[in-house]
Amino acid sequence: AVQLVESGGGLVQPKESLKISCAASGFTFSNAAMYWVRQAPGKGLEWVARIRTKPNNYATYYADSVKGRFTISRDDSKSMVYLQMDNLKTEDTAMYYCTAGGSTTGPFAYWGQGTLVTVSS
Amino acid sequence: DIQMTQSPPSLSASLGDKVTITCQASQNINKYIAWYQQKPGKAPGLLIHYTSTLVSGIPSRFSGSGSGRDYSFSISNVESEDIASYYCLQYDNSRTFGGGTKLELK
């Protein structure tokens, strides 16, 4: 079965950095685009970042709200995806979910349990 | 960027009712819309993709329709386990979620 397990969340101060991780299993990770989606407390869902596969040159895409501050990366040898978050702002406080899906399964068909990032002084 | 306007933000229904949620895109999204259910404290789950394709294992009381800019999602015969928040997602160009609809029991 597909499993996505996030880790690395925590409490940080504004302008600090944090790197969260997602361990994937149960599917051919190297063939899958990977995504991060976040949800601020009591709010809706927001797509954050996307990384494509090696044949697509590991192209990356970001929501305007995080562009220039967040960096998504992947390690196919470890079936891991990461989100490096720099210059964090209080509005980045959210549950961060790792997600995956495809043309046959549908977009964001698989989700992790999430990791909570709190940005506060 | 494509914007998704989802309505209503909240919905009150009795068991057995039919409810409908709509999403309007800021431009044609060519039927690339999906619908998710989220219960408190849980990650969202995919119910429907490509407008009307039901994910395996999802009850047939859930359905979706639409084209162009306008799409709808319905639950016929609402059951207690359907009480949750629902989100649309366009994936024609990048990814954009609607604002969500909270379904409550009347």
Side-chain angles (χ1 to χ4, degrees):
Chain A
V2 171
Q3 197 167 14
L4 300 170
V5 180
E6 302 93 336
S7 61
L11 173 63
V12 295
Q13 295 194 344
K15 300 186 180 181
E16 289 188 341
S17 298
L18 190 67
K19 187 174 185 177
I20 58 177
S21 304
C22 171
S25 61
F27 64 103
T28 307
F29 180 81
S30 59
N31 290 347
M34 297 298 297
Y35 301 79
W36 287 97
V37 170
R38 70 183 180 183
Q39 186 171 35
K43 302 297 184 181
L45 300 167
E46 180 187 20
W47 165 78
V48 172
R50 172 192 184 193
I51 186 165
R52 298 185 72 179
T53 58
K54 185 176 180 180
N56 294 292
N57 298 313
Y58 298 122
T60 58
Y61 308 85
Y62 300 93
D64 288 345
S65 58
V66 306
K67 201 172 293 182
R69 300 188 299 121
F70 288 14
T71 303
I72 188 172
S73 61
R74 63 190 296 161
D75 185 336
D76 289 348
S77 69
K78 297 180 179 179
S79 296
M80 296 286 295
V81 62
Y82 307 97
L83 188 66
Q84 174 69 43
M85 302 180 288
D86 298 322
N87 189 22
L88 281 159
K89 305 176 179 181
T90 55
E91 53 264 40
D92 295 319
T93 293
M95 184 70 78
Y96 285 74
Y97 295 102
C98 172
T99 81
S103 56
T104 52
T105 60
F108 303 160
Y110 308 110
W111 297 71
Q113 84 288 350
T115 189
L116 182 62
V117 173
T118 303
V119 184
S120 175
S121 55
Chain B
D1 293 0
I2 298 176
Q3 308 303 314
M4 297 297 287
T5 302
Q6 183 173 342
S7 61
S10 64
L11 196 49
S12 184
S14 300
L15 297 179
D17 281 355
K18 178 177 180 178
V19 299
T20 298
I21 299 167
T22 63
C23 269
Q24 183 176 67
S26 57
Q27 64 189 66
N28 180 8
I29 56 171
N30 298 301
K31 295 195 169 187
Y32 287 105
I33 188 167
W35 295 92
Y36 297 82
Q37 177 191 68
Q38 186 180 32
K39 296 184 177 180
K42 301 293 186 182
L46 177 64
L47 301 175
I48 288 171
H49 64 100
Y50 197 59
T51 297
S52 59
T53 302
L54 208 60
V55 170
S56 176
I58 300 301
S60 59
R61 65 178 182 276
F62 295 94
S63 64
S65 64
S67 63
R69 295 174 56 207
D70 297 305
Y71 299 86
S72 63
F73 167 83
S74 294
I75 311 172
S76 60
N77 298 315
V78 167
E79 298 188 6
S80 58
E81 64 186 34
D82 301 334
I83 301 308
S85 292
Y86 293 86
Y87 294 89
C88 65
L89 169 79
Q90 74 78 21
Y91 57 107
D92 180 57
N93 185 335
S94 189
R95 307 283 187 271
T96 314
F97 286 98
T101 297
K102 187 174 183 179
L103 176 61
E104 298 173 317
L105 269 180
K106 193 178 290 183

